[in-house]
Amino acid sequence: MKALVKYAAGPGNMEIRDVEEPKVKPGYVKIEVKATGICGSDIHILHSDIAIPVRPPVITGHEFSGIVVEVGEGVSSCKVGDRVTSETAYEYCNRCENCKNGRYNLCNHRKTLGYWYNGAFAKYTLVPQDRIHLLADSISFEEAALLEPLACVCHAAMDLAQIKPTDLVLVTGPGPVGLMTLQVVKAHGAKVIVSGTNADAARLKKAEEYGADFIINVQQNNLIEEIQKITGEKGVDIVFECSGAPAATRTGIEAVKKYGQFVQVGLAGAPFEFDFARICYKEIKVTGSLGSIWNSWDYAIRMAENKQVKLKDLVSDIFPLEKWEEAFKKFENKDGLKILIQN
């Protein structure tokens, strides 16, 4: 079968290759992939500037949906013909403190689909049965390919933060993750400010359509001054930094109120400096967010089933696998929203 392979470490070193079709084994499920989303981390894998372990040669892609075509001995979580998606935490130890407390996303031995084990930019992929989530017929394959990033958003917003209906929340970065975060926060009844740059003009318009209460272009207005006006110089209750831009982290720390919450969702891809003392002076509760856990997948699927989050509208482009370079370039240029690959 054809697959998009990161064939060696280092920048680039990714191409379409003919690879052997995966063979099912006990406890595993073979899935015919119907749609796979491009994630920012796929771009980091391409450029080899990601901290999560990658083991070339490996088929990339981890945000996907499909149909079960074969199950291995002992599989009881699904059957042939089921519509499914899968978590990305392909392997973890199940013995460490984090695993035993359900935080397997933080396991030191966690290995990830599309990074360490062959992923979903291919016709077929193979995953352990315990990672499978069944899909309702009301969720299309295209929508289901967005459930993995939605689960990451639900982890950040629902597992790691405490949102109240009276809160004013800042979401920095109106990409697909930021727009999902906006919708999850709005579902909690809170008000939302979404910020972006000139390059995000179309995305900021989409944020307005999704119910953002305030839109701020940081290249046309001073974000901190605007937030001071909106909040009476108090600051916002919570910041979800979804862009991965160092400048957004710095201004987000300034924008949050004293004793507020700051959640870093986006990955910068490289170290950067900011004034850590501001966290002390304001007693801000700061956390990072990494991936997802079972709870967040459950939240994400139920929100999609209940149409509390619009996923279909986020899909702006669908490319065939052989045009992956064009698709990746479009993603990097912030041209469109969620971009899918289909065989």
Side-chain angles (χ1 to χ4, degrees), residues 13-223:
N13 297 334
M14 190 180 288
E15 66 184 13
I16 301 291
R17 288 191 169 185
D18 288 310
V19 301
E20 186 178 356
E21 188 176 308
K23 293 181 174 61
V24 77
K25 54 186 178 181
Y28 284 74
V29 177
K30 183 176 178 179
I31 300 167
E32 181 181 356
V33 177
K34 292 298 183 182
T36 308
I38 298 175
C39 173
S41 61
D42 294 316
I43 305 299
H44 288 304
I45 292 172
L46 173 65
H47 298 308
S48 286
D49 59 2
I50 192 166
I52 299 171
V54 179
R55 182 180 62 174
V58 64
I59 299 170
T60 54
H62 58 275
E63 305 176 358
F64 79 101
S65 62
I67 296 176
V68 175
V69 293
E70 192 175 357
V71 298
E73 182 183 351
V75 169
S76 58
S77 62
C78 59
K79 63 183 185 303
V80 172
D82 280 345
R83 305 169 73 254
V84 297
T85 184
S86 169
E87 297 190 29
T88 59
Y90 195 100
E91 178 182 286
Y92 43 86
C93 74
N94 262 326
R95 298 185 302 275
C96 69
E97 177 184 2
N98 284 313
C99 283
K100 288 181 177 180
N101 283 287
R103 298 187 298 264
Y104 49 85
N105 60 316
L106 301 178
C107 176
N108 288 338
H109 303 283
R110 175 178 178 256
K111 301 296 188 295
T112 309
L113 181 77
Y115 298 68
W116 195 269
Y117 290 99
N118 285 332
F121 285 137
K123 184 173 179 59
Y124 298 102
T125 192
L126 193 70
V127 298
Q129 67 160 332
D130 291 342
R131 313 299 181 262
I132 294 293
H133 290 270
L134 300 176
L135 299 173
D137 291 338
S138 60
I139 302 177
S140 69
F141 287 120
E142 292 75 21
E143 291 171 309
L146 276 66
L147 286 174
E148 193 277 338
L150 180 58
C152 294
V153 166
C154 288
H155 180 55
M158 300 170 73
D159 293 329
L160 300 174
Q162 295 180 336
I163 306 170
K164 300 187 297 294
T166 54
D167 283 339
L168 177 61
V169 176
L170 170 64
V171 175
T172 58
V177 167
L179 293 173
M180 289 181 194
T181 303
L182 160 64
Q183 295 182 76
V184 171
V185 173
K186 291 294 291 184
H188 283 74
K191 289 188 175 182
V192 183
I193 303 168
V194 177
S195 67
T197 65
N198 290 336
D200 295 315
R203 295 174 171 195
L204 290 172
K205 181 65 177 177
K206 181 65 72 173
E208 188 176 6
E209 294 174 11
Y210 283 167
D213 299 276
F214 304 93
I215 301 291
I216 301 175
N217 183 322
V218 300
Q219 290 182 288
Q220 297 178 13
N221 297 280
N222 183 289
L223 178 64

